[in-house]
Amino acid sequence: MTEKIQASVIVAFYNKIELLKIVLSALNNQYDGSFNVVIADDGSRSDVVNEISSLKTSYKFELIHLWQADNGFRKNKILNQAVLHSNEYLIFIDGDCIPQRNFVLDHLINAQEGYCLNGRRADLSETVSKKINLEKPETFFKRHIKEILIEYMFGRGKNIEKGFRINISKISDYLNRKEKGIVGCNFSLFRNDILKINGFDERYEAAGTGEDSDVEFRLRLAGVRIKNIFFKANQIHIYHKELPRSPDNDNLFSAVKESEKSYTPFGIKRQED
């Protein structure tokens, strides 16, 4: 299946250029010709934009940089633009999550029309996070597992078990048996499936809910099923303080659920178009 699908890895990004280089390096080291990379940039500084431009010939994959002015948190708006500039299969990640070896491959092997693949991440401690650099970032979890586990034993780091890749079908099926909600930093689906719901709802202008819970709810209404691929498509998350969550998002999501409409008029194709 991977020979037939052309994918786009869509990276949600804002200003943290050194982390982006690590993400791109990790993707470059697993590149097999099956994907390009689209940077969905929600208003980074001009110096960062210029540096990204200088990187475009540094990788084996095609690198597309989409930018919008910094007018507050408008992640969903730039993600919609990324969808329009993407290949037939979309893999969404955040710019502070480092894909481990086989990340893209695991998404593509499990890709099915009418399904949204639901991955997870291992949240590293602050101490371990500082050690990640451009040296084989796609194998960082495996190479530093002892230190990661020691930190975890002392309560530093979360969901570390999600960093292990399990490729034995019976075990994998058992671990993925329960329904879980998607997270915006690690999910994938066919472009046509997200177009069924008109992409992301651009009314969400704060972190959380809009880029995952809302999307999942509307995908299910549209008949798209959610399939867990935990313990595959592994990624590690660089430590940072959690962004505040807005009650406005919760109120908007409650209204969306009450409407029971899968297609948002505030997405890729707007009412006034």
Side-chain angles (χ1 to χ4, degrees):
M1 178 167 259
T2 57
E3 294 178 359
K4 299 177 182 179
I5 297 176
Q6 283 298 307
S8 291
V9 179
I10 297 175
V11 185
F13 173 72
Y14 178 69
N15 275 333
K16 295 181 179 179
I17 186 66
E18 297 307 317
L19 280 184
L20 178 64
K21 290 178 183 177
I22 294 173
V23 171
L24 296 176
S25 179
L27 290 170
N28 197 54
N29 292 345
Q30 58 184 288
Y31 183 66
D32 63 357
S34 63
F35 65 92
N36 65 8
V37 176
V38 181
I39 300 171
D41 187 342
D42 187 16
S44 292
R45 303 184 309 269
S46 59
D47 61 303
V48 173
V49 171
N50 291 335
E51 189 162 1
I52 292 174
S53 181
S54 71
L55 292 173
K56 286 190 174 181
T57 59
S58 301
Y59 306 102
K60 292 179 282 188
F61 47 74
E62 176 191 24
L63 182 63
I64 299 171
H65 180 212
L66 304 176
W67 180 89
Q68 65 186 11
D70 187 359
N71 292 324
F73 188 97
R74 297 189 299 155
K75 178 180 179 180
N76 280 9
K77 184 176 181 64
I78 196 64
L79 287 177
N80 278 340
Q81 289 303 306
V83 170
L84 291 176
H85 288 80
S86 68
N87 289 322
E88 65 175 318
Y89 195 76
L90 318 180
I91 303 170
F92 292 93
I93 68 173
D94 285 345
D96 57 3
C97 292
I98 315 302
Q100 297 300 279
R101 180 170 289 179
N102 298 311
F103 175 83
V104 176
L105 179 64
D106 283 342
H107 273 286
L108 294 184
I109 286 175
N110 290 279
Q112 291 178 263
E113 291 186 17
Y115 282 80
C116 174
L117 301 184
N118 177 25
R120 283 296 186 265
R121 69 189 188 189
D123 297 288
L124 302 185
S125 69
E126 184 175 10
T127 300
V128 175
S129 293
K130 291 177 180 178
K131 297 189 176 184
I132 297 180
N133 55 39
L134 292 172
E135 182 185 355
K136 298 182 179 180
E138 77 285 357
T139 61
F140 183 88
F141 184 87
K142 183 177 180 179
R143 290 184 291 113
H144 291 263
I145 186 57
K146 290 183 179 179
E147 185 175 2
I148 291 170
L149 289 175
I150 290 171
E151 286 281 291
Y152 185 50
M153 288 171 60
F154 286 95
R156 297 185 286 268
K158 297 186 299 181
N159 304 311
I160 296 304
E161 71 279 0
K162 297 299 192 299
F164 292 96
R165 184 171 186 262
I166 297 174
N167 205 25
I168 301 172
S169 296
K170 288 185 178 181
I171 297 177
S172 179
D173 291 345
Y174 177 79
L175 293 172
N176 284 293
R177 69 193 184 282
K178 296 182 180 179
E179 286 194 1
K180 297 287 186 178
I182 69 171
V183 292
C185 66
N186 190 353
F187 75 97
S188 68
L189 74 174
F190 276 90
R191 188 171 182 263
N192 285 339
D193 284 328
I194 201 167
L195 291 178
K196 290 177 183 176
I197 64 169
N198 201 23
F200 297 85
D201 189 325
E202 296 178 10
R203 294 176 295 172
Y204 291 94
E205 294 186 336
T209 306
E211 65 265 32
D212 41 44
S213 299
D214 174 271
V215 172
E216 177 190 341
F217 177 75
R218 292 186 294 111
L219 283 172
R220 288 183 185 274
L221 285 180
V224 177
R225 300 178 66 179
I226 309 301
K227 178 181 177 181
N228 298 336
I229 52 168
F230 305 162
F231 303 98
K232 293 183 181 178
N234 311 95
Q235 61 177 217
I236 52 176
H237 180 227
I238 305 299
Y239 174 85
H240 62 77
K241 292 182 179 180
E242 291 188 6
L243 294 174
R245 295 297 190 257
S246 169
D248 292 340
N249 278 11
D250 296 332
N251 294 334
L252 176 55
F253 187 38
S254 293
V256 169
K257 288 188 287 187
E258 287 180 10
S259 74
E260 294 191 346
K261 293 180 180 178
S262 64
Y263 188 96
T264 176
F266 305 96
I268 292 173
K269 183 173 176 61
R270 303 302 289 262
Q271 284 181 320
E272 63 269 19
D273 290 350

